Structure formats: structure tokens, C-alpha cells
Amino acid sequence: VFFERGERDGAKKTSYAPGSFTSDSVYDYTIKRKLNGSVGLSLTSGTYGWSEGRNTTVHTFKDQLPDVCDATKQPCLTDEINIEDCADSVIKTIDALKEAGLTEGVDMFPVCIGPNDNLEYCKCKNCTKAIQKGGGTQAATLIPFINAVIEIADEVYPDVTYATIAYQEGIKAPTNCVPNEKLNIIFCLIQKCMAHSLYDTDCHCEDSNTYLINNMTFAEYLDDWCKLSENMGVWYYPTNFENALCPLALDRVVRDDIRYFAEHGVNTFTCENYSNGTGFDFLNAYIISKLLWNPYMDDAEYNSMINEYMEAYYGEGWENIRAYYDMMQRSGATRGCFAGFASWPEEQGDMLM
């Protein structure tokens, strides 16, 4: 089963952060869709049973090393003192989780250790040398740093699991090290072109957008990480952060991308999406939750799933909504490259007007 991470009481686990839901409704939705929570949500109460959510940010150095960096900076990752201080902070985090009643290996989520959300990486002599030796990626300092932190924390808590991100300057896999097997590498596709899937050889986004990474290159980066680690995840962005009110035609792209993740051994999935009210957000969340359990569904099953949802959600006249939905998907298939993080899909907007 795709994205299976273990079982308890017959409930397989996945990781998905659905957007567009209130705190009250997300619990019921998550359980019914056989998902295991959301960022900021852990389904460990008696009401909802057991699950493994992640309720902490992945940008953690600002909290774990507050004496050397804030949210606008990055720490030196070759400094032995920073390794020891970060390990001490991680152990205190686990202490707090255990005091809250969580048990490692049962209902404790992976402890995150990761870079802050900025590009101000350390450029000291040792870090620069390590990055050059590791193939020019910031991950060449990040992974050895986290491995060392885990080694120290293992002396106190040997059964805890961890997570970090392959993100921006660290999106490429290092050539000088291998991640600890307990470390979930979350490959972040924030620079991915959302007009094309990872299978699509027609993606030429680098010709017009310097922020985007060509999807064929992105696929190579993910494949390289998968060769290094069997504990791989993705952080997916099927949205447009820059223009949240613009409808997005992502049906074909999301379906193909999830199949790509399944075929390449990805085992955790987190989805970050802004609700815009104009792009079938609830339907998109429903589709993704279904694809996580069956990424290989054929066209007949896929279309039947959408029809079933629309008939239940919209009631009488749902066929007209389906016709509009299909028109929106066709328009999206004709447009050029765009970044979900910061682009205006003008061609699609013109065709819908």
C-alpha cells in the first residue's frame, strides 16, 4: 500500500496536511479519509484514537539554537558546540513530549530538526569546504549535523524518529554522507512548476522563471535522494500563494505527481495549500486523500470518484459543476509554466473569463 508507515489496530498511517478545514471538522475528515493528521494536529485523544501527526514546524533552528540565530539567520552546521546545544534542545523537546503522555514508537510524532526559512546559510571556511565536497548543496552540512545530533539523542531516547527538509539551497542530495535511517527526509517541491507533472518532458520553466527548477531536474533531485534513503517524504504545494483567488487546474498534474512519488519509494506526504474558495479546494483534498491510498486508479475509477463527490456535495445540477470543472482543467492544460509559490497564471485566467 502506497505511503504505508505501519499499522495499529488495522489503521495504516499516512501523513497529509489538508487545507481548507476548520479545527472542528478536520478531525472527522482526517479519520474518515484514513489520514494521520495535519501539521499542528495530532490525533491522539481517546475520541479519535491513535495516529502520528506532526505538530511542530520543520524550520526549527531558530528555536533549537536561539543563542546563535533567529528566524532570519542560519546557524553554523560544522560547529561542535552547535551540535551539542541542538542535541540538548532536542532531548528537552522529547522530555516534554513524554511528560505530555506520548510514547516513542507509538504515538510520538517525528521530532523535526531543520533549517530556518531563509537563504542566509553559514559561509564559514568549514561549511564552505563541506558543501563543496558534498556536491555544492547545503544538505552536505545539514545531514552530517543532524546525524550527529541524533547520535547524541539516541543515548537517552533510542526509539525516537526524526524529520528534516530538503529545501531550497539544500534541495540536492549530498554526495559526502548518508542520512540516519531514522531520519525522514522531506523533499520540498516549492520550486516545482505546477503546470507540468514530474513525468512531463515539456516543462521548460527555467527559460522564463529563474526561481523555478525544471521538473525533469526536480525529478532527478528526488531520485538521487531516494537512492540515499528509504525514509523519504515530500512536501507538496498544489496552490498559488501569490494569487490565492485564481482558480488552478491541477487535476492532471497532481494525479501524475502522486503516482510518481509512489513509483519512486516516497513513504510520507505532506500537502500545504491555501484555501481560495474558487478552485475546488475541498474536492482537491478529497482527490488527494484517495490517491494516497490508490495512486494507480484508472480513468474510469478516477472520474467515478469525482462524480460521486460532486453529486453528494452539490446535489441536483451537479453535472453543470462538473462541466465547469472539466473546462477549467482543459484550460490549464494549455498554459505555460508557473510556480505555485509565486506566479500569476495569466493564460489560464484569460481563458476562464
Side-chain angles (χ1 to χ4, degrees), residues 16-264:
Y16 171 63
S20 313
F21 298 100
T22 66
S23 57
D24 293 331
S25 65
V26 71
Y27 285 96
D28 290 328
Y29 181 87
T30 301
I31 292 296
K32 289 177 180 178
R33 294 272 54 80
K34 297 186 292 185
L35 306 169
N36 78 321
S38 154
V39 175
L41 171 68
S42 185
L43 307 178
T44 56
S45 69
T47 302
Y48 293 98
W50 172 85
S51 188
E52 183 190 90
R54 181 176 64 252
N55 61 1
T56 182
T57 176
V58 291
H59 303 296
T60 63
F61 284 150
K62 63 184 184 300
D63 302 311
Q64 292 162 339
L65 294 168
D67 293 337
V68 297
C69 68
D70 58 20
T72 67
K73 304 287 184 182
Q74 301 283 358
C76 175
L77 298 181
T78 56
D79 188 320
E80 293 292 334
I81 295 177
N82 286 345
I83 293 174
E84 294 172 3
D85 288 346
C86 187
D88 182 62
S89 178
V90 165
I91 291 170
K92 290 178 180 178
T93 295
I94 301 170
D95 288 341
L97 294 173
K98 290 184 69 66
E99 290 176 5
L102 300 179
T103 303
E104 57 269 41
V106 179
D107 55 6
M108 185 181 293
F109 47 81
V111 175
C112 294
I113 309 171
N116 296 326
D117 198 2
N118 64 68
L119 298 176
E120 300 301 318
Y121 298 105
C122 179
K123 297 180 176 61
C124 75
K125 181 178 179 180
N126 289 336
C127 284
T128 300
K129 182 178 179 180
I131 289 171
Q132 291 174 343
K133 182 179 178 181
T137 172
Q138 190 270 336
T141 56
L142 178 68
I143 298 304
F145 179 91
I146 296 176
N147 284 348
V149 169
I150 293 175
E151 184 177 355
I152 295 172
D154 271 354
E155 297 176 3
V156 183
Y157 293 115
D159 296 322
V160 172
T161 58
Y162 300 87
T164 193
I165 52 175
Y167 183 70
Q168 299 208 48
E169 296 298 316
I171 194 66
K172 292 175 60 178
T175 58
N176 64 331
C177 57
V178 175
N180 187 296
E181 63 182 12
K182 298 198 301 181
L183 180 62
N184 182 221
I185 305 295
I186 305 171
F187 186 83
C188 299
L189 294 109
I190 195 167
Q191 292 164 277
K192 177 187 180 297
C193 169
M194 288 307 298
H196 302 95
S197 78
L198 292 172
Y199 290 107
D200 199 332
T201 58
D202 289 332
C203 181
H204 302 289
C205 57
E206 290 175 332
D207 296 339
S208 58
N209 190 315
T210 56
Y211 180 79
L212 287 173
I213 297 175
N214 182 284
N215 279 0
M216 288 175 285
T217 303
F218 232 128
E220 291 176 4
Y221 290 168
L222 177 57
D223 293 349
D224 287 342
W225 276 109
C226 290
K227 293 173 185 176
L228 278 187
S229 174
E230 295 182 357
N231 191 2
M232 284 299 302
V234 294
W235 195 296
Y236 197 58
Y237 307 82
T239 187
N240 188 329
F241 291 107
E242 188 74 11
N243 297 280
L245 293 179
C246 183
L248 296 178
L250 301 178
D251 177 282
R252 170 186 52 85
V253 173
V254 170
R255 184 182 177 188
D256 285 351
D257 280 345
I258 289 179
R259 180 162 51 88
Y260 189 96
F261 301 146
E263 291 179 346
H264 289 77

